[in-house]
Amino acid sequence: MSNNTLENGIGFWQLISKNKIEIPIIQRDYAQGRNDDKTKIIRNGFLSSLIDTLENKKNLELDFVYGNVNEKILQPLDGQQRLTTLFLLHWYIYFKTDKSAESKNALLKFTYETRTSSREFCTELVENHDNLGEGKKISEKISDSNWFFLSWKKDPTIKAMLIMLDAIEEKLEVKSEDEMAVFFKDLTSENPPITFLFKELKDIGLTDDLYIKMNARGVPLTDFENFKARFEKHIDDNKWELEESNLLEKTSHKIDTSWTDLFWKHRGSDNLIDDEFIKFIAGIAIINYAKNKEFLENEKEFSEVKKILLEKNKNTTDEAVKTEIIERNIQRLFNNPNTVSPKDFPTKNAFEYLKNCLDIYSKNKNDETFPSDLELWDYCKKGTVDISSDTKTENNLFIEFVKNGETTYKQRILFFAQTVYLLNADTINQEFLSHWMRVIRNIAHNSTIDSASGFVGAVNLVNELSKGSLNIYEYLVQNKIESTFAKTETTEEILKSSIITNPINNKISIFLIEDTNFFKGKIKFALHCIDFENNQSAFDENKLNSLYTVINEHLNSDDISAKFRSAMFTVKNNDFYEYWRSWSYGTDTHKRCLIENTSDLKWNFTNGYYGDYLKELLLKLIDKSLDQIINEYSFPEQMPNWKRRLIKEPTLQEEYAQSRYFGISNDNKAFLFYNRKRPNTRKDCKKIE
């Protein structure tokens, strides 16, 4: 191709016969097929000019087309819209008449670099011209074809191409095959009726700046489009997918077909999938960093991190520096998923893991997976949610993973666990999936996972346990767990597994009490209440069920009742309030607490010395009500009157101790702290004597 302007003009067919035409990635989407009123008028006028030229043997020049030619690949800098329309016009007339292999090969040389979907659509359109589906319009026949991916309808370029093809058909459908054959012959001749002036810009790179300066119509690529383009290059550079690989299995194909179909269902209110797609990719990168501890080593980064650790008097071994780099990458992606880059997938192992995760959620509606009969509490609240402007579904962990807003580290652990199961299982067994997710839920909820380091520990534990994900209870009783993360919680899960597997029907009573708001997965205290301490003890299922009834009745809300507090005065040494000790300078009293709420009760009365206070009361409540316990209680002879009144008059707490705190004077009087934890004087209190 010459470096000079072709003053006599060149036809589309002449250009494509000599070069492959590739619309570069910096170009905007095909716009002449848009469906707004202004574009309709422009489109109709332009097509009318083209058809009139063919019908009346006229000549039409379409001004300049600028471009760069390198190794017989033409990338137009200006002229994309006209070239795409001419491609569609030539294809339609070819489709109606010629259909020769030579013409087909020429048309296959027109392609798009902007989106893989646009590129593949152009190829499939030419390859499958004789394999269309049903419909009245040409767009309907194409969309109904078995080779057409539904996700392609979301590609703005493909949508515009289909609209343009309908417009072309509308103007040419009255033409006979002979007339169309003449049109094609003229268009492919050495002196075509429709031409443009081509200007080759040799050795000029098509940068964003140059494009915007010359064309003034560029649109910036989104974070996801940038990532996609760089990621495909990253894959090619590392040769992670062989050229001879099946096209349908390649990332470049899936990212615009089956994976796009997955995220289209979860698109945002802007009807785009970019944010959801990029958050999923970043989320998988976070998991992979924690699981495999792989990253692209960089001497400068290594030195900088080592220096920082040294300044903080921390361990500076190579292993410590690597751990710090991993945790920094996790924290970066956690705070801002849009910073994800191909470098966050440094190895083929990391790349394959991402691909496997995308594949598994694209199949069999796995994105709707939710373990049946299992509460995930605030990590994934049950209920119908809007996932797009026109789609509702039951909430699940996939939605929580890709939604707009923060996905906590604990939610990520649960999603990782679910993903592990899906990757390990040939088919989903809802019972075993629920068992697996229950164990991970219990451990995650009762562990500290609020930082990158905690997340790494949790991922490694889940990864170790995943060997038994298809039957977790059998695995736990038969294998030694090496991970030291959440050792206490894991040990409890092993203990519960010994109950559940011998005999198996014990799991119902275990699950019931695990799911209570009070215990939320950690039931060691409940087992202590029924005197089951280890897997050699006798397990009393009936007693545990009775305890569950008590817990469900009295400790199911965020606060405990005044009567429950009054009853707590009746057990042991009648001094449960001593669990919290301080001094009130305003009232000159020994400050004590009547238990702030249910959470306070759980954390202070299920461990240590005061655990037996709560145990005694709960066991009493199996056979008696709070009223019976209070009314039947006999006061010890030395019990002060204020304590007797608080037992027999629970309403005193409700009226005068909304703060749940009170003070005991040196002369053994009680001062209830109304609704302030720190009263200024005794006048701010209710004196009980």
Side-chain angles (χ1 to χ4, degrees):
M1 184 69 68
S2 169
N3 190 36
N4 299 318
T5 301
L6 295 176
E7 295 180 357
N8 295 326
I10 184 172
F12 176 84
W13 202 257
Q14 291 171 298
L15 192 65
I16 203 170
S17 296
K18 296 177 181 178
N19 302 281
K20 179 180 181 180
I21 300 176
E22 184 179 74
I23 307 301
I25 197 166
I26 61 173
Q27 289 276 18
R28 63 174 176 160
D29 295 310
Y30 177 49
Q32 288 186 358
R34 289 177 182 166
N35 211 18
D36 57 273
D37 293 338
K38 182 179 178 181
T39 305
K40 286 180 184 177
I41 295 171
I42 296 172
R43 177 169 60 247
N44 185 61
F46 185 48
L47 284 180
S48 294
S49 297
L50 296 177
I51 304 304
D52 180 60
T53 299
L54 292 173
E55 288 176 332
N56 297 298
K57 303 291 183 180
K58 296 179 181 180
N59 290 303
L60 177 65
E61 184 183 280
L62 301 177
D63 206 353
F64 282 93
V65 169
Y66 298 94
N68 201 30
V69 178
N70 184 22
E71 296 182 354
K72 291 192 174 184
I73 297 177
L74 163 63
Q75 286 197 322
L77 182 63
D78 188 27
Q80 168 214 0
Q81 305 294 323
R82 285 165 286 157
L83 289 172
T84 301
T85 299
L86 288 172
F87 163 72
L88 295 173
L89 177 65
H90 281 71
W91 177 85
Y92 185 81
I93 298 174
Y94 156 82
F95 163 67
K96 288 292 185 180
T97 58
D98 183 81
K99 298 184 181 178
S100 69
E102 183 181 358
S103 297
K104 175 181 174 181
N105 290 334
L107 288 169
L108 283 170
K109 292 163 71 178
F110 182 86
T111 187
Y112 264 72
E113 187 188 18
T114 49
R115 282 186 174 86
T116 306
S117 51
S118 304
R119 180 165 67 247
E120 293 181 354
F121 172 75
C122 292
T123 299
E124 295 296 324
L125 185 66
V126 177
E127 289 279 12
N128 294 287
H129 59 81
D130 56 353
N131 184 23
L132 303 186
E134 300 295 325
K136 293 181 179 180
K137 297 180 180 180
I138 184 66
S139 64
E140 294 172 354
K141 293 175 184 176
I142 293 169
S143 300
D144 187 58
S145 304
N146 55 21
W147 49 267
F148 186 91
F149 283 90
L150 292 178
S151 58
W152 285 352
K153 288 184 177 181
K154 301 123 192 177
D155 183 321
T157 288
I158 296 175
K159 286 170 65 177
M161 284 182 172
L162 292 174
I163 290 171
M164 179 60 83
L165 284 171
D166 282 343
I168 292 171
E169 181 178 59
E170 187 178 338
K171 292 188 176 296
L172 293 177
E173 61 184 346
V174 296
K175 303 298 180 182
S176 66
E177 187 174 336
D178 289 341
E179 287 178 293
M180 296 283 275
V182 172
F183 290 166
F184 195 76
K185 182 178 179 183
D186 290 343
L187 286 170
T188 58
S189 68
E190 292 188 6
N191 296 298
I194 301 170
T195 60
F196 42 79
L197 299 174
F198 177 73
K199 178 68 176 178
E200 181 182 356
L201 303 176
K202 207 168 186 65
D203 300 324
I204 298 179
L206 298 185
T207 65
D208 285 340
D209 289 343
L210 176 63
Y211 176 72
I212 293 170
K213 286 176 183 176
M214 294 190 65
N215 200 314
R217 293 179 302 185
V219 291
L221 296 175
T222 65
D223 289 329
F224 174 62
E225 288 172 324
N226 273 312
F227 172 84
K228 183 171 66 170
R230 289 183 288 122
F231 194 49
E232 289 178 7
K233 184 177 185 302
H234 185 59
I235 295 167
D236 290 340
D237 289 347
N238 286 285
K239 295 182 172 54
W240 287 339
E241 291 183 323
L242 300 177
E243 290 185 8
E244 61 270 20
S245 299
N246 184 346
L247 171 65
L248 298 179
E249 293 302 316
K250 284 195 171 184
T251 297
S252 59
H253 175 81
K254 288 184 174 184
I255 207 166
D256 280 313
T257 53
S258 57
W259 297 345
T260 291
D261 282 343
L262 166 65
F263 289 100
W264 178 247
K265 186 168 70 176
H266 298 276
R267 64 193 181 279
S269 57
D270 55 3
N271 266 342
L272 297 175
I273 65 171
D274 296 34
D275 291 343
E276 291 73 23
F277 215 141
I278 208 77
K279 192 175 179 192
F280 182 93
I281 292 169
I284 297 303
I286 287 173
I287 291 170
N288 193 69
Y289 273 130
K291 183 164 69 83
N292 295 317
K293 299 180 178 61
E294 301 169 331
F295 63 96
L296 288 176
E297 295 195 21
N298 177 295
E299 277 190 36
K300 182 181 178 182
E301 181 185 26
F302 196 90
S303 298
E304 288 176 351
V305 171
K306 188 170 186 176
K307 182 180 178 182
I308 292 170
L309 291 177
L310 189 61
E311 290 172 351
K312 294 181 178 180
N313 294 318
K314 292 186 176 181
N315 191 344
T316 56
T317 63
D318 285 357
E319 191 62 33
V321 175
K322 289 179 181 179
T323 298
E324 180 70 16
I325 292 172
I326 289 292
E327 291 177 6
R328 283 169 175 252
N329 282 327
I330 290 172
Q331 195 64 47
R332 166 178 58 84
L333 293 172
F334 179 88
N335 292 334
N336 188 359
N338 286 329
T339 63
V340 69
S341 78
K343 291 182 180 179
D344 290 312
F345 296 90
T347 64
K348 187 174 183 181
N349 183 49
F351 161 65
E352 291 289 350
Y353 182 66
L354 171 63
K355 198 171 177 180
N356 290 339
C357 290
L358 284 163
D359 279 343
I360 201 66
Y361 281 106
S362 298
K363 295 175 183 175
N364 306 322
K365 294 186 176 181
N366 282 339
D367 60 307
E368 298 179 14
T369 298
F370 194 90
S372 62
D373 303 321
L374 181 65
E375 287 288 339
L376 293 182
W377 304 313
D378 287 342
Y379 308 120
C380 187
K381 291 183 178 179
K382 286 187 177 181
T384 303
V385 294
D386 296 325
I387 58 172
S388 68
S389 57
D390 57 2
T391 305
K392 295 178 183 290
T393 190
E394 289 299 309
N395 195 28
N396 57 63
L397 287 168
F398 183 90
I399 293 171
E400 294 288 347
F401 194 67
V402 304
K403 69 177 182 180
N404 182 30
E406 182 181 276
T407 303
T408 66
Y409 280 122
K410 289 190 178 184
Q411 286 176 311
R412 293 172 189 275
I413 288 298
L414 291 171
F415 178 80
F416 172 51
Q418 175 179 279
T419 305
V420 162
Y421 181 89
L422 293 174
L423 289 171
N424 286 349
D426 294 329
T427 57
I428 297 176
N429 180 308
Q430 272 295 339
E431 182 181 23
F432 288 145
L433 170 61
S434 290
H435 290 174
W436 163 246
M437 293 301 296
R438 176 179 287 276
V439 167
I440 304 305
R441 176 204 68 176
N442 294 345
I443 294 173
H445 178 73
N446 293 290
S447 307
T448 301
I449 312 173
D450 56 7
S451 65
S453 59
F455 181 74
V456 171
V459 165
N460 288 322
L461 172 60
V462 173
N463 197 44
E464 180 182 355
L465 296 180
S466 69
K467 299 168 189 173
S469 61
L470 302 185
N471 193 339
I472 187 60
Y473 293 126
E474 288 287 350
Y475 183 83
L476 286 173
V477 296
Q478 293 175 7
N479 294 272
K480 181 181 178 182
I481 307 305
E482 299 295 336
S483 173
T484 57
F485 180 82
K487 194 70 177 178
T488 299
E489 289 71 27
T490 305
T491 300
E492 180 175 313
E493 292 304 314
I494 295 170
L495 180 62
K496 286 185 284 191
S497 296
S498 70
I499 302 171
I500 289 168
T501 57
N502 186 28
I504 193 67
N505 63 357
N506 284 332
K507 71 179 182 183
I508 297 173
S509 57
I510 296 290
F511 291 174
L512 280 173
I513 205 156
E514 274 186 343
D515 290 342
T516 59
N517 285 331
F518 186 71
F519 286 117
K520 284 196 170 178
K522 189 171 185 176
I523 65 166
K524 185 178 181 181
F525 179 73
L527 297 176
H528 169 65
C529 287
I530 65 168
D531 299 318
F532 182 91
E533 305 295 345
N534 57 62
N535 58 11
Q536 302 299 317
S537 308
F539 175 73
D540 191 334
E541 182 182 13
N542 293 329
K543 195 172 183 180
L544 188 65
N545 288 337
S546 297
L547 182 65
Y548 162 76
T549 302
V550 170
I551 296 293
N552 212 35
E553 180 180 353
H554 298 286
L555 303 179
N556 197 38
S557 62
D558 292 336
D559 200 5
I560 56 178
S561 68
K563 288 183 179 180
F564 193 94
R565 290 182 173 91
S566 292
M568 282 290 287
F569 277 105
T570 70
V571 299
K572 297 296 181 184
N573 299 326
N574 318 110
D575 60 351
F576 75 90
Y577 49 85
E578 292 287 345
Y579 83 96
W580 200 99
R581 300 185 181 197
S582 183
W583 178 259
S584 170
Y585 289 94
T587 63
D588 194 30
T589 61
H590 301 274
K591 187 177 179 181
R592 300 293 182 261
C593 186
L594 292 166
I595 305 173
E596 280 204 53
N597 49 40
T598 310
S599 180
D600 187 23
L601 179 75
K602 176 178 178 178
W603 296 116
N604 289 289
F605 287 83
T606 57
N607 291 294
Y609 177 78
Y610 289 98
D612 282 341
Y613 281 66
L614 180 59
K615 175 182 178 180
E616 182 176 316
L617 178 57
L618 293 178
L619 293 179
K620 281 185 178 182
L621 285 168
I622 290 176
D623 300 312
K624 295 182 178 182
S625 69
L626 285 172
D627 285 331
Q628 287 175 308
I629 292 172
I630 292 170
N631 294 333
E632 294 173 6
Y633 184 68
S634 297
F635 300 127
E637 186 177 338
Q638 300 303 316
M639 179 177 278
N641 196 57
W642 65 264
K643 194 177 293 188
R644 298 179 185 219
R645 290 191 63 190
L646 286 176
I647 293 173
K648 295 296 185 179
E649 303 174 53
T651 56
L652 287 174
Q653 300 172 45
E654 297 172 345
E655 294 176 13
Y656 306 114
Q658 295 93 332
S659 70
R660 310 306 185 206
Y661 288 85
F662 72 106
I664 305 172
S665 63
N666 287 330
D667 58 352
N668 213 0
K669 301 292 189 296
F671 293 85
L672 304 184
F673 295 178
Y674 290 113
N675 54 7
R676 295 176 62 184
K677 292 183 180 180
R678 296 177 181 85
N680 294 323
T681 70
R682 291 187 179 185
K683 292 180 180 179
D684 298 325
C685 307
K686 174 67 175 178
K687 184 178 180 181
I688 305 293
E689 56 182 339

